[in-house]
Structures are given as C-alpha cells and as structure tokens.
Amino acid sequence: MIWLIVAIAVQAGLTLYQFDIKGAFLCAPIDREIYLKLPPGYTPPPGKTARLRKSLYCLKQAPSVFHGLFETWLLKYGFKQIGGDRVTFLYREGTSVILLSIYVDDGIAACNNKELYQLFLTDLGKDFKLSDQGPVSWYLGVSVKQDLANKCTTLSQEQYVKDVLEVD
C-alpha cells in the first residue's frame, strides 16, 4: 500500500512527507500478562516477580501491540482505514486530505495542505515521540525524488544495488 500512496500522490499532486515514531514498541501497553526470567545473579525479593507493563522490541507481540495503539489513535483523530488494509488511512478536512501509511514505525503521508499536516504532527507528538523528517527523500531503502510541477516522482534503489554488489 505504501507505493500505492506514492502513485496517488503523483496523480493528485500531493506532497509526500515522512515521519518516524521513536521507540514505537516501547510506548504500547501490553494486553496480556507477561513475566520475565530474571538475569543470572539477580534474586528478587521473596514473593516478587518481574512482570512487563509495556512492550519491548524482543516480544513477538510488539509490532501488533504498537500497531493497535497507533491505529486507535488515528481513528480517534478522525482518520478512516481504507482498502481493507490495516496500515493505510485517510483524513479529510474540507478539501484538504492526508493519506497515510505506516510500516512498523516509519510513516509516509501524502497531503495537499502543509499546515494541516503540521497540525497533525503536533497532535501526534503529544502522545508519541516522533521525528518529522520533512518531505520524503528516502523511505524503506528507496530513494524518492518528487517533482510536483511535472507530476513526476522517481523511485530508485540504485544505492541498494551498489551496496549489494559492493560497487563504489
């Protein structure tokens, strides 16, 4: 769905932006009781155990728990899921739109109103630590060059190919 957002942005003349949720898997409360095996040398007080209260990166449930938290936030904000896909959302306010997709903790958004997008990021930043990375230039290993005037966006994996082939 992420590359579909890029295609829609090209057709509709939307600017592509990117953001990153910092410590995404660490901010989501877990939805079940999980107890830890304590490291060697540490003896808990009698009758005490180590129970997780928030998710950790090493938990197999971490991506799902974070996504549920993020999805709930977006829906409360007014986004609607689109296309039967749990990672793609649409927000409308008058003639302004934000089309958003998230992959793990990396977000990409296509928008026709920079002020609306900045307001969204400000509100999102109240509940999640995030990094606004501005207009998209590199996303999931793909170089992205957007030319709004000519309705053209170029995607390239040239650097990835060079890295794989170890070419300078």
Side-chain angles (χ1 to χ4, degrees), residues 112-160:
N112 63 350
N113 182 328
K114 185 176 182 177
E115 291 77 25
L116 178 65
Y117 178 71
Q118 288 302 318
L119 177 61
F120 159 72
L121 282 184
T122 298
D123 291 342
L124 184 63
K126 292 174 185 173
D127 293 313
F128 298 92
K129 291 180 184 172
L130 62 91
S131 168
D132 174 11
Q133 298 173 336
V136 69
S137 59
W138 192 266
Y139 192 75
L140 302 180
V142 177
S143 170
V144 180
K145 292 187 176 126
Q146 191 172 25
D147 180 353
L148 288 170
N150 292 311
K151 282 193 149 187
C152 177
T153 298
T154 304
L155 306 176
S156 172
Q157 288 190 297
E158 178 182 355
Q159 188 59 50
Y160 173 75

Side-chain angles (χ1 to χ4, degrees), residues 17-129:
Y17 298 98
Q18 63 189 57
F19 63 92
D20 179 64
I21 305 291
K22 300 291 181 189
F25 294 170
L26 303 176
C27 64
I30 50 180
D31 57 356
R32 61 187 59 102
E33 288 188 6
I34 298 177
Y35 293 89
L36 297 174
K37 180 178 178 183
L38 297 172
Y42 181 79
T43 306
K48 299 288 182 177
T49 60
R51 180 176 149 219
L52 285 179
R53 297 198 184 278
K54 296 221 176 197
S55 186
L56 293 175
Y57 277 94
C58 61
L59 291 178
K60 66 181 178 181
Q61 300 93 335
S64 176
V65 170
F66 167 71
H67 182 75
L69 178 70
F70 190 71
E71 176 183 51
T72 299
W73 190 96
L74 289 173
L75 295 173
K76 283 182 182 176
Y77 194 80
F79 278 85
K80 305 285 185 227
Q81 284 183 318
I82 59 171
D85 182 340
R86 291 193 57 212
V87 298
T88 308
F89 301 85
L90 176 67
Y91 179 82
R92 290 182 187 264
E93 187 176 288
T95 58
S96 299
V97 297
I98 300 174
L99 183 60
L100 179 142
S101 189
I102 186 113
Y103 181 80
V104 186
D105 58 356
D106 296 311
I108 188 167
C111 187
N112 63 350
N113 182 328
K114 185 176 182 177
E115 291 77 25
L116 178 65
Y117 178 71
Q118 288 302 318
L119 177 61
F120 159 72
L121 282 184
T122 298
D123 291 342
L124 184 63
K126 292 174 185 173
D127 293 313
F128 298 92
K129 291 180 184 172

